[in-house]
Amino acid sequence: MEEQTQQEQASPEVHKRIRTSFDRQGLMSHLGARLTHIAPGRVHIVLPSRPEVTQQHGYFHAGATSAIADSAGGYAAFTLFPENTDVLTVEYKINLLAPAVGDHMEAVGTVLKYGRTLTVCQLEVFGVQDGRRKLVANGQQTLIQVIKPEQ
Amino acid sequence: MEEQTQQEQASPEVHKRIRTSFDRQGLMSHLGARLTHIAPGRVHIVLPSRPEVTQQHGYFHAGATSAIADSAGGYAAFTLFPENTDVLTVEYKINLLAPAVGDHMEAVGTVLKYGRTLTVCQLEVFGVQDGRRKLVANGQQTLIQVIKPEQ
Amino acid sequence: MEEQTQQEQASPEVHKRIRTSFDRQGLMSHLGARLTHIAPGRVHIVLPSRPEVTQQHGYFHAGATSAIADSAGGYAAFTLFPENTDVLTVEYKINLLAPAVGDHMEAVGTVLKYGRTLTVCQLEVFGVQDGRRKLVANGQQTLIQVIKPEQ
Amino acid sequence: MEEQTQQEQASPEVHKRIRTSFDRQGLMSHLGARLTHIAPGRVHIVLPSRPEVTQQHGYFHAGATSAIADSAGGYAAFTLFPENTDVLTVEYKINLLAPAVGDHMEAVGTVLKYGRTLTVCQLEVFGVQDGRRKLVANGQQTLIQVIKPEQ
């Protein structure tokens, strides 16, 4: 499925919907995170290394790692949701497998099971140094589809 | 135990150790988070509301909520650790129970089970508006005690 | 709240609904588990020690511990649900804090946040030996309320 | 990796070590579970359908699903551990994705990250009916390697 989703691109409407929502997330721009891939059921978010996202040893903070993982999973689910809906994170669990080091981190959210009410995503975060990727965190997330209030 | 730990204060050495570590976390100051309570086995962290920590609807981002929860739990464990050690998050799980709104959020990390290798903490995050607190997130975290490398 | 829920009893209708459902769970009777307390938002299940519920060292198996924790949480949520509904576990996370030993185990499920769609419970399992209780597992669970199909 | 681990078999010593431990788990034989595959970093456990493992609607109970998932992950880790050690579950999280139905369930535990102290596994449970497999549960588990006490 990896190959397929890497090539398959989401529709322009979905792209726009997700970029619009992402741009409204004050936290993502404050951290310096960028959306780098939007496919049906899969979204990538990249976070470059900078002192503002570190923990006490200079590695990426687990909170920063989790923030981009949570957003990647949420938007991966959102690519599959109908027009008038929105996505909320119900819960997630994440294991920090290795020190989060690299010139940037890449979070990959992938839909494992889509449902009309609940959707479950796999979360992966890679530390990338000079193009070499290493899995530094792995998680699992539950999301809920809610009807968007009229505006 | 609530009352007891609220009153009991950690020793000046522990206070200093934790404040020093916290001040090195680039992410915490970048978000605007502050340590507000350090007791044996319990730490509070406060995050004021500002556009830089929001998600797409203007609520606190789950990533910001998780970041202060993770740090509060990690430091709660760290208050009980011996001198020459450090703390790392192994994993955590968090449920986002209600929209994270308020003039600030308060994360409370509490040690549930201390162990020489692994320590388990409860994580709670409250949205606080005009002094009224509401539980907006609840989680559980596993931490590992590691020997600090010589410097 | 502990005191209150310990004293407060669920209505006879709720008692009956939960006992009827519990009696249909083949696994619970196969393990030898018993419902011992049903209060609004809180349910206890007891599992006596026997070779049939052990892991390789003779302690209670994590699967047995989890099974009664999951059922206790599910029924705790179910005490608050309306008549024509049913409860399903969405997910749970459990930490095994200490070897599960004792003449019996007691699982306590407590509703942390009730919602029309999703309910979140705290799960605790105690090993009990000669009346002394020790926390051996702690978890967090998400449940969904579903409309019961017509029969 | 799937293909590789399906073909690769664990050494006879590892096979024997795991079968011996499994046979000591009173719960596994009480449920009727069987070890069906032991490869380095991957173990399968099968649980046939029978009334003794059901919940109130006649599906497999989440506790039974979790029990075989937990054991599959634990033994997957154990295949990689050195001689004089033992494995304990630290914690796990599991999402129940679909009703657990079928003539049997198959739990697959796969090591995601091996470490000298902590190992993280992916847990999958499939409902199998007439040879067709459907993913019914997905989880993530943390295990600890402990030195075996002298006997």
Side-chain angles (χ1 to χ4, degrees), chain A residues 21-34:
Chain A
S21 174
F22 186 88
D23 290 345
R24 284 205 203 115
Q25 294 203 334
L27 181 66
M28 287 295 109
S29 71
H30 189 52
L31 295 178
R34 295 192 322 265

Side-chain angles (χ1 to χ4, degrees), chain B residues 1 5 8-11 14 37-43 76 79-80 111:
Chain B
M1 189 172 156
T5 52
E8 195 182 348
Q9 284 288 321
S11 71
V14 166
H37 184 72
I38 305 171
R42 176 171 294 203
V43 163
T79 61
L80 305 182
V111 173

Side-chain angles (χ1 to χ4, degrees), chain B residues 8 16 53 77 100-101 133 135 138-139 143 148-149:
Chain B
E8 195 182 348
K16 190 186 162 192
V53 296
V101 291
R133 299 165 95 223
L135 187 68
N138 200 79
L143 304 127
K148 214 174 184 163

Side-chain angles (χ1 to χ4, degrees), chain D residues 66-77:
Chain D
S66 303
I68 59 168
D70 173 54
S71 281
Y75 287 126

Side-chain angles (χ1 to χ4, degrees), chain C residues 95-113:
Chain C
N95 275 75
L96 304 156
L97 303 172
V101 291
D103 45 54
H104 68 275
M105 278 197 302
E106 183 182 44
V108 178
T110 308
V111 173
L112 203 59
K113 166 82 177 358

Side-chain angles (χ1 to χ4, degrees), chain B residues 92-128:
Chain B
Y92 67 86
K93 179 256 205 289
I94 193 162
N95 275 73
L96 304 157
L97 304 172
V101 291
D103 45 53
H104 68 274
M105 277 198 301
E106 181 182 46
V108 177
T110 308
V111 173
L112 203 59
K113 167 81 177 357
Y114 168 78
R116 226 177 13 180
T117 306
L118 298 177
T119 291
V120 177
C121 284
Q122 187 189 14
L123 309 177
E124 295 167 296
V125 186
F126 300 90
V128 188

Side-chain angles (χ1 to χ4, degrees), chain B residues 25-47:
Chain B
Q25 294 202 333
L27 181 67
M28 288 295 112
S29 71
H30 189 53
L31 294 179
R34 297 193 319 266
L35 265 172
T36 55
H37 184 72
I38 305 171
R42 176 171 294 203
V43 163
H44 297 195
I45 294 176
V46 158
L47 179 66

Side-chain angles (χ1 to χ4, degrees), chain A residues 20-22 24-28 30-32 50-59 61-64 66-68 70-71 75 86-97, chain B residues 20-22 24-28 30-32 50-59 61-64 66-68 70-71 75 86-97:
Chain A
T20 304
S21 174
F22 186 88
R24 284 205 203 115
Q25 294 203 334
L27 181 66
M28 287 295 109
H30 189 52
L31 295 178
R50 48 196 289 243
E52 286 85 352
V53 296
T54 56
Q55 37 86 290
Q56 70 274 22
H57 306 113
Y59 304 151
H61 194 286
S66 302
I68 59 168
D70 173 54
S71 280
Y75 286 126
D86 213 332
V87 60
L88 291 174
T89 300
V90 170
E91 61 83 38
Y92 66 86
K93 178 257 204 290
I94 193 162
N95 274 74
L96 304 156
L97 303 172
Chain B
T20 303
S21 174
F22 185 88
R24 283 204 204 115
Q25 294 202 333
L27 181 67
M28 288 295 112
H30 189 53
L31 294 179
R50 46 194 292 242
E52 286 85 352
V53 296
T54 56
Q55 37 85 292
Q56 69 275 23
H57 306 111
Y59 303 150
H61 193 287
S66 302
I68 60 168
D70 173 54
S71 281
Y75 287 126
D86 213 333
V87 60
L88 291 174
T89 300
V90 171
E91 60 84 39
Y92 67 86
K93 179 256 205 289
I94 193 162
N95 275 73
L96 304 157
L97 304 172

